[in-house]
Amino acid sequence: MSTLKVGTIQDHANSNTAISIDSSGRATFAKAKTPSFHVYKSDNLTVPSSVVTQVPFNANYFIYDWTLNGSGDMTVGAGAGGIYMIHCGGRINTAADCNVSLSLKLNGTDNVQHGRGSQYCFSEYYQGLDVTTMLELSAGDVLRMYVSQSSGSDRTAGNNDIGFHLKMMAYRVSA
């Protein structure tokens, strides 16, 4: 029987610490968090009638290995590419019957083959919209969420009643 006593394990290329073991035998990992995020819009968003409007997320519960800019773009960080489970949710706040939609776009494209997911509701009001999909993403790819409505007047989206209504979240399921 053999015993290996180690306090630190480093990567072979750059000698960066990958795993540390404390005096109680507990291991901690330098990159223990899976690349993931959960962002939301913390205040109302005005959505003009018949205008596709990008959601400018301005708050988060967490962001690991992604970046969020002021426009609401979520960008995959270096080394964070892989297959992701992604969910978007939203609601237009109106009691007027109108058509509403929510869409997820990858790198700004409308092309379904490049990862767009969407939900459309006809003649609904205060209807929650959800898009859930899986995408293979690479470092530098950008996800954007858009909402639209056709009530004939400006409407709001995103207020907080039993949670924030404009939100997007993703987590990597495979590298």
Side-chain angles (χ1 to χ4, degrees), residues 32-41 57-69 73-75 84-87 164 167-173:
K33 305 276 193 253
T34 299
S36 55
F37 66 84
H38 185 173
V39 296
Y40 60 96
K41 178 92 169 98
F57 297 110
N58 62 356
N60 72 80
Y61 293 110
F62 58 86
I63 300 176
Y64 300 110
D65 296 326
W66 285 71
T67 57
L68 168 65
N69 71 12
D73 295 354
M74 290 301 306
T75 303
Y84 281 82
M85 176 64 76
I86 304 163
H87 174 78
F164 295 101
K167 59 190 174 237
M168 182 165 51
M169 57 197 83
Y171 62 92
R172 187 170 74 179
V173 296

Side-chain angles (χ1 to χ4, degrees), residues 16 20 30 32 41 54 57 61 87 96 98 111 113 116 118 126 140 166:
N16 293 319
S20 297
K41 178 92 169 98
Q54 183 176 352
F57 297 110
Y61 293 110
H87 174 78
C98 66
N111 187 330
Q113 294 175 339
R116 181 177 169 250
S118 65
Y126 285 94
L166 294 174

Side-chain angles (χ1 to χ4, degrees), residues 44-156:
N44 284 339
L45 173 65
T46 299
V47 182
S49 185
S50 302
V51 175
V52 177
T53 304
Q54 183 176 352
V55 176
F57 297 110
N58 62 356
N60 72 80
Y61 293 110
F62 58 86
I63 300 176
Y64 300 110
D65 296 326
W66 285 71
T67 57
L68 168 65
N69 71 12
S71 298
D73 295 354
M74 290 301 306
T75 303
V76 181
I83 297 172
Y84 281 82
M85 176 64 76
I86 304 163
H87 174 78
C88 298
R91 182 186 83 186
I92 302 294
N93 304 319
T94 181
D97 283 337
C98 66
N99 300 332
V100 297
S101 71
L102 179 141
S103 59
L104 170 68
K105 295 185 181 181
L106 172 60
N107 299 323
T109 184
D110 284 330
N111 187 330
V112 175
Q113 294 175 339
H114 291 102
R116 181 177 169 250
S118 65
Q119 183 179 14
Y120 173 80
C121 291
F122 178 72
S123 293
E124 294 292 334
Y125 64 94
Y126 285 94
Q127 175 69 40
L129 301 165
D130 293 287
V131 171
T132 302
T133 189
M134 291 182 77
L135 297 174
E136 186 166 7
L137 303 173
S138 299
D141 280 343
V142 178
L143 295 177
R144 295 180 180 102
M145 185 175 120
Y146 296 85
V147 292
S148 66
Q149 57 89 17
S150 64
S151 68
S153 300
D154 289 358
R155 301 294 177 190
T156 61

